[in-house]
């Protein structure tokens, strides 16, 4: 697993630093988390990304104080809060399922955290107005949760979480119950608000597109462990592990042979450059992981690979190509390049980018 | 099938066979069931107003109201009922909520245990409770308090299930998590964010428990408490028309509060509820 890289620059956004030190959590049959360590810079938005069951919610609940780690510590703003109960942490949390109190209006929900703190009615109502205008729901102040759409409910939940001026914001798949359009829109809005307030934020999702779009850095998790913590670009273009390469984006697995350090000869593609992976001696048979957009196609005269099908994506076209061994290879190319090859026609594949990873082939 | 009441099929979403049989059938079933309940009540009412030579008279009622024991046993039953409801809620609220939040896997087990009083003969339960509380001071043992303790256990199958399914119908765990992360301790959380959403469950459990207390005879009589139902049986041995009048009164005493409570609670939805929460939280913060 890769070293936890620190963001090189101070984001200059205010907010507190948050550190997880060797967090583990064991349930009867499962290890939900295994020595999870990472650090979020002040004001940073870290996305915890991973498949269902990899421990994202568990990690978030520990940050919130709703669950306690079996091992490890949590530091918020340099202070060890591991044994501090949730109610004393001053952390805002938005949940995956709708969590508004059904007996309270939007306004009352937003003010709830302030009421339990004993704030005066006037301050509370000022704050709730401010928060509701931040999430664009001023006109819904007197509605009950059952009178709001799913997206509106999650906005209110966000306003409620932010009303207490939390030092840390936690979002556990807040968009997963919403339809695609609302999801994309609310995602942008969450990012805008987060930047505006400069609040350190952990955002949990299993959707890689969401993670790439939102994050300052992505923490890719797998079976309770951290696989990689890096910027979206780095996670996508230099995945630390095969798991990361597979989970973030699409990859092709192709057969090849090492030519020298930094070059492999890939079957039916030709020479491809690579950077990461173990040192391998020339002649080693390898498996090469390469992204669809790192491949290209040209029409070929003799028999070889052939185009099986295509799907038009708007700005590009995705081709499904079969090589002579029968493997399906996904290629994403410009619309013009795709127009140059016909369906069922013979094509030659070539590399236009680097391979992600190279590893010795299984015997 | 295809010819029968298409409107019903649409409305009922294809529903059950009973629905498809159509309105006439439903009304006749309803009428039959209604008749099954109402005819005996009407017959009793008629009997209780029957004087000598089939004349109409209130004498059964006037005599009853003139009996001091009528008022004292009724008062005893109401006290025991209220006490039982209070004890039941004090036991149920924390238990059920704890089970749902911390031991969700044991929910079924707890529910089964709550049903035990239905399968264990009530005499056994009675003796069990008495034995458990034998060493307690006399304030409990030998006073109607022991009866309330008995009733808490005996009514548990009704009260527990009612409250448990109300809790099941809300996403309790998430609401608790949300409330705690917003800084609320358990008291404020329960009072303002959880219990108001469980109103119907609390109400249902209370009504069932109270009605149980107002109708229970065997245990009260076994423990030699002359509660309202015990009095009813005693009167019945001597004077049939008074006993019938008495059971009608008992029925009305159970129904009136029930109806009142239903009306009050069905009107509380929406409207002024928000203001109620606001005032309640305000006063709690001031405390
Ligand atoms: N309260 C619990 N009891 C037992 N197992 C749990 C509990 N909470 C989580 N787990 C297990 O821990 C693992 C991680 O769960 P979770 O953190 O919810 O994953 P994610 O949010 O990434 O989907 C899962 O295998 C889950 O079954
Ligand atoms: Mg989860």
């Amino acid at each position: 697993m890769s070293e936890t890289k620190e963001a090189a620059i101070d984001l200059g956004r205010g907010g507190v630093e948050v550190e997880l030190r060797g967090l583990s959590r064991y349930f009867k049959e499962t290890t939900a988390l295994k020595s999870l360590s990472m650090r979020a810079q002040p004001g940073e938005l870290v996305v915890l990304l991973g498949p269902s069951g990899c421990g994202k919610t568990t990690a978030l609940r520990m940050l919130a104080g709703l669950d306690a780690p079996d091992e490890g510590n949590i530091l918020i703003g340099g202070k060890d809060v591991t044994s501090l109960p949730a109610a004393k942490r001053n952390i805002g949390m938005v949940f995956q399922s709708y969590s508004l109190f059904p007996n309270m209006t939007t306004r009352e929900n937003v003010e709830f955290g302030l009421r339990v703190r004993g704030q005066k009615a006037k301050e509370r109502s000022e704050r709730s107005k401010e928060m509701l205008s931040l999430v664009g729901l001023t006109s819904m102040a007197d509605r009950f949760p059952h009178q709001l759409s799913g997206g509106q409910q999650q906005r209110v939940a966000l306003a409620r979480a932010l009303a207490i001026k939390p030092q840390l914001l936690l979002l556990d798949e807040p968009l997963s119950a919403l339809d695609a359009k609302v999801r994309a829109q609310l995602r942008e809005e969450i990012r805008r608000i987060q930047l505006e307030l400069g609040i350190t934020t952990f955002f949990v999702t299993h959707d890689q597109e969401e993670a790439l779009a939102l994050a300052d850095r992505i923490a890719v998790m797998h079976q309770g462990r951290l696989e990689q913590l890096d910027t979206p670009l780095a996670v996508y273009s230099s995945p630390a592990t095969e798991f990361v390469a597979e989970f973030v984006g699409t990859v092709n697995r192709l057969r090849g042979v090492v030519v020298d350090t930094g070059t492999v000869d890939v079957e039916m593609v030709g020479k491809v450059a690579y950077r990461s992976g173990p040192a391998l001696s020339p002649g080693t048979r390898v498996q090469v992981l390469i992204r669809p957009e790192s491949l290209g196609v040209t029409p070929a005269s003799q028999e070889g690979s052939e185009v099986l099908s295509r799907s038009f994506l708007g700005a590009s076209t995705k081709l499904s190509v079969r090589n002579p061994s029968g493997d399906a290879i996904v290629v994403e190319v410009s619309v013009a390049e795709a127009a140059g090859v016909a369906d069922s026609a013979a094509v030659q594949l070539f590399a236009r980018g680097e391979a992600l990873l190279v590893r010795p082939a299984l015997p | 099938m295809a010819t029968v009441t298409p409107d019903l099929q649409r409305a009922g979403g294809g529903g059950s066979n009973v629905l498809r049989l159509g309105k006439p059938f439903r009304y006749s079933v309803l009428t039959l069931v209604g008749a099954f309940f109402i005819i005996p009540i009407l017959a009793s009412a008629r009997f209780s107003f029957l004087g000598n030579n089939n004349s109409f008279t209130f004498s059964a009622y006037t005599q009853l109201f003139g009996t001091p024991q009528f008022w004292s046993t009724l008062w005893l039953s109401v006290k025991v009922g209220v006490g039982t409801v209070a004890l039941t809620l004090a036991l149920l609220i924390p238990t059920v909520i704890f089970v749902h939040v911390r031991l969700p896997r044991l929910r079924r087990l707890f529910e089964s245990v709550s049903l035990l009083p239905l399968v264990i003969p009530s005499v056994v339960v009675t003796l069990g409770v008495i034995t458990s509380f034998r060493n307690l001071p006399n304030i409990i043992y030998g006073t109607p308090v022991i009866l309330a303790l008995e009733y808490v256990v005996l009514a548990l199958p009704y009260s527990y299930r009612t409250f448990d399914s109300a809790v099941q119908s809300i996403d309790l765990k998430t609401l608790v998590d949300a409330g705690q992360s917003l800084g609320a301790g358990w008291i404020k959380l329960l009072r303002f964010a959880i219990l108001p959403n469980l109103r119907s469950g609390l109400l249902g459990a209370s009504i069932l428990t109270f009605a149980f207390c107002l109708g229970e005879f065997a245990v009260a009589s076994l423990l030699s408490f002359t509660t309202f139902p015990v009095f009813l049986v005693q009167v019945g041995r001597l004077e049939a028309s008074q006993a019938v009048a008495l059971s009608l009164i008992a029925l009305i005493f159970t129904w009136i509060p029930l109806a009142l409570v239903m009306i009050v609670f069905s009107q509380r939805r929406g409207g002024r509820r928000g203001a109620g929460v606001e005032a309640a939280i305000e006063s709690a913060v001031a405390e």
Side-chain angles (χ1 to χ4, degrees):
Chain A
M1 317 291 134
S2 77
E3 278 280 280
T4 301
K5 278 188 213 152
E6 297 301 333
I9 42 157
D10 178 2
L11 297 164
R13 287 187 196 150
V16 293
E17 183 184 75
V18 178
E19 190 179 351
L20 313 185
R21 278 193 195 153
L23 289 189
S24 297
R25 181 76 169 98
Y26 311 103
F27 292 109
K28 236 179 245 137
E29 303 104 29
T30 39
T31 299
L33 280 186
K34 187 69 198 159
S35 4
L36 180 72
S37 295
M38 70 174 87
R39 186 184 292 188
Q41 302 296 318
E44 188 175 25
L45 193 158
V46 174
V47 170
L48 303 184
L49 174 67
S52 175
C54 72
K56 308 180 297 288
T57 296
T58 305
L60 214 62
R61 290 176 57 83
M62 284 175 186
L63 275 167
L66 296 169
D67 194 0
D70 293 316
E71 290 157 15
N73 298 80
I74 296 168
L75 284 84
I76 297 177
K79 231 180 77 199
D80 191 326
V81 298
T82 315
S83 51
L84 203 62
K88 301 226 164 99
R89 285 199 190 182
N90 203 38
I91 287 175
M93 185 154 178
V94 178
F95 299 84
Q96 179 169 12
S97 47
Y98 301 130
S99 62
L100 297 182
F101 303 120
N103 59 314
M104 299 183 200
T105 61
T106 296
R107 189 205 315 274
E108 288 166 345
N109 264 288
V110 174
E111 291 183 14
F112 182 79
L114 308 174
R115 280 185 188 151
V116 299
R117 284 167 171 71
Q119 278 199 12
K120 294 260 176 321
K122 190 159 160 288
E123 295 166 37
R124 287 195 324 241
S125 102
E126 268 168 29
R127 182 75 182 153
S128 70
K129 275 200 193 101
E130 194 184 334
M131 288 299 107
L132 286 177
S133 93
L134 190 67
V135 299
L137 282 182
T138 310
S139 60
M140 304 283 165
D142 294 317
R143 296 227 183 152
F144 284 94
H146 69 90
Q147 298 168 315
L148 300 173
S149 71
Q152 290 169 336
Q153 287 192 45
Q154 291 301 65
R155 279 164 202 261
V156 177
L158 180 64
R160 180 178 70 176
L162 291 171
I164 60 173
K165 300 195 174 153
Q167 48 176 346
L168 176 62
L169 179 63
L170 307 174
L171 304 119
D172 188 0
E173 310 208 23
L175 310 177
S176 65
L178 310 177
D179 57 58
K181 205 165 171 194
V182 180
R183 196 156 58 208
Q185 189 189 348
L186 198 46
R187 174 172 92 196
E188 299 302 318
E189 227 165 306
I190 288 175
R191 180 57 161 163
R192 169 182 67 77
I193 290 168
Q194 187 265 334
L195 287 173
E196 200 172 311
L197 301 177
I199 185 172
T200 312
T201 300
F202 283 85
F203 186 107
V204 163
T205 182
H206 63 262
D207 178 344
Q208 42 115 355
E209 190 194 321
E210 203 163 277
L212 293 170
L214 267 177
D216 284 313
R217 284 187 303 160
I218 299 177
V220 184
M221 292 175 62
H222 181 43
Q223 295 181 344
R225 294 166 195 270
L226 182 64
E227 294 269 318
Q228 186 172 12
L229 174 61
D230 220 326
T231 61
L233 179 64
V235 165
Y236 188 80
S237 57
S238 339
T241 64
E242 256 182 272
F243 175 81
V244 176
E246 293 257 321
F247 194 77
V248 184
T250 313
V251 289
N252 293 297
R253 290 169 176 275
L254 305 175
R255 276 181 291 273
V257 175
V258 174
V259 176
D260 56 45
T261 341
T263 320
V264 281
D265 187 20
V266 178
E267 196 179 293
M268 301 311 292
V269 174
K271 292 220 167 60
V272 180
Y274 76 96
R275 273 184 302 182
S276 39
L280 296 164
S281 52
T284 315
R285 302 193 136 279
V286 287
Q287 197 168 51
V288 180
L289 276 66
I290 189 164
R291 295 254 184 248
E293 64 270 22
S294 301
L295 293 171
V297 285
T298 50
S301 43
Q302 81 270 41
E303 293 290 293
S305 307
E306 91 181 290
V307 177
L308 285 182
S309 65
R310 64 183 68 214
S311 48
F312 178 57
L313 300 178
S316 62
T317 298
K318 203 168 246 183
L319 299 174
S320 180
V321 175
R322 188 167 57 193
N323 70 12
S325 338
D327 305 326
I329 299 164
V330 181
V331 181
E332 195 175 332
V333 295
S334 71
V335 178
E337 188 173 326
V341 295
D343 278 0
S344 325
V347 290
Q348 174 64 50
L349 291 168
F350 66 89
R352 65 159 45 96
E354 289 182 352
L356 287 178
L357 279 174
V358 168
R359 53 152 236 199
L362 300 172
Chain B
M1 272 293 144
T3 56
V4 193
T5 54
D7 59 332
L8 261 181
Q9 288 190 344
R10 240 180 289 127
S16 65
N17 284 330
V18 176
L19 276 180
R20 251 175 263 151
L21 282 168
K23 267 184 190 162
F25 180 78
R26 280 194 298 162
Y27 285 133
S28 26
V29 168
L30 265 177
T31 313
L32 271 176
V33 173
F36 185 77
F37 283 104
I38 297 210
I39 290 176
I41 294 174
L42 288 180
S44 315
R46 184 172 162 274
F47 181 74
S48 70
F49 291 116
L50 222 53
N52 295 335
N53 312 322
N54 283 354
S55 61
F56 179 86
T57 173
F58 281 112
S59 76
Y61 292 88
T62 47
Q63 281 174 25
L64 268 181
F65 292 146
T67 314
Q69 256 208 313
F70 169 85
W71 298 108
S72 65
T73 57
L74 181 62
W75 178 230
L76 175 63
S77 277
V78 169
K79 275 194 297 190
V80 170
V82 170
T84 306
V85 168
L87 282 172
T88 298
L89 294 183
L91 179 73
L92 274 190
I93 293 171
T95 310
V96 175
I97 285 178
F98 183 82
V99 169
H100 276 258
V101 174
R102 291 284 155 77
L103 309 168
R105 285 169 198 201
L106 300 186
R107 193 175 89 86
R108 289 277 155 217
L109 178 71
F110 271 77
E111 196 180 328
S112 314
V113 170
S114 79
L115 292 178
L116 283 181
L118 280 185
V119 284
I120 300 174
S122 60
V123 172
V124 177
V125 175
T126 308
L127 295 178
V129 172
I130 289 191
T131 317
S132 319
F133 289 101
R134 187 161 41 200
N135 296 327
L136 285 176
N138 279 344
I139 305 168
I140 292 175
Y141 200 66
T143 68
V145 176
I146 191 75
L147 199 55
L149 290 171
E150 297 280 2
Y151 286 170
V152 168
V153 178
L154 290 170
L156 209 54
Y158 316 107
S159 55
Y160 191 94
R161 276 182 76 94
T162 310
F163 187 58
D164 184 71
S165 56
V167 174
Q168 183 72 6
S169 73
I170 63 171
D171 189 352
L172 181 70
K173 184 113 195 309
T174 307
L175 294 187
V176 168
D177 284 350
Q180 289 187 334
S181 75
L182 288 166
W186 271 105
I187 306 262
K188 283 179 189 171
L189 189 60
L190 280 178
R191 186 159 161 201
F192 306 123
I194 307 294
L195 294 183
N197 296 307
L198 297 173
R199 212 180 261 156
S200 65
L202 290 170
L203 190 65
S206 304
I207 288 173
L208 285 174
T209 306
F210 191 76
F212 178 88
C213 295
L214 241 64
E216 204 287 332
F217 165 75
V219 173
S221 142
L222 184 72
L223 296 178
S224 316
F225 288 105
T226 312
T227 56
F228 194 64
V230 174
F231 172 63
L232 193 147
V233 171
Q234 287 173 354
V235 170
R237 291 207 188 103
L238 307 170
E239 179 61 68
S241 67
Q242 276 190 25
V244 173
L246 201 51
S247 31
L248 282 179
I249 293 169
L251 206 61
I252 290 166
F253 278 152
T254 325
W255 280 9
I256 287 179
L258 207 145
L260 274 182
V261 164
M262 296 279 223
I263 291 166
V264 169
F265 273 84
S266 57
Q267 283 177 346
R268 288 282 304 265
R269 300 199 144 270
R272 296 248 324 131
R273 187 160 55 170
V277 172
E278 177 145 1
I281 297 189
E282 216 118 59
S283 64
V285 166
E287 273 166 31

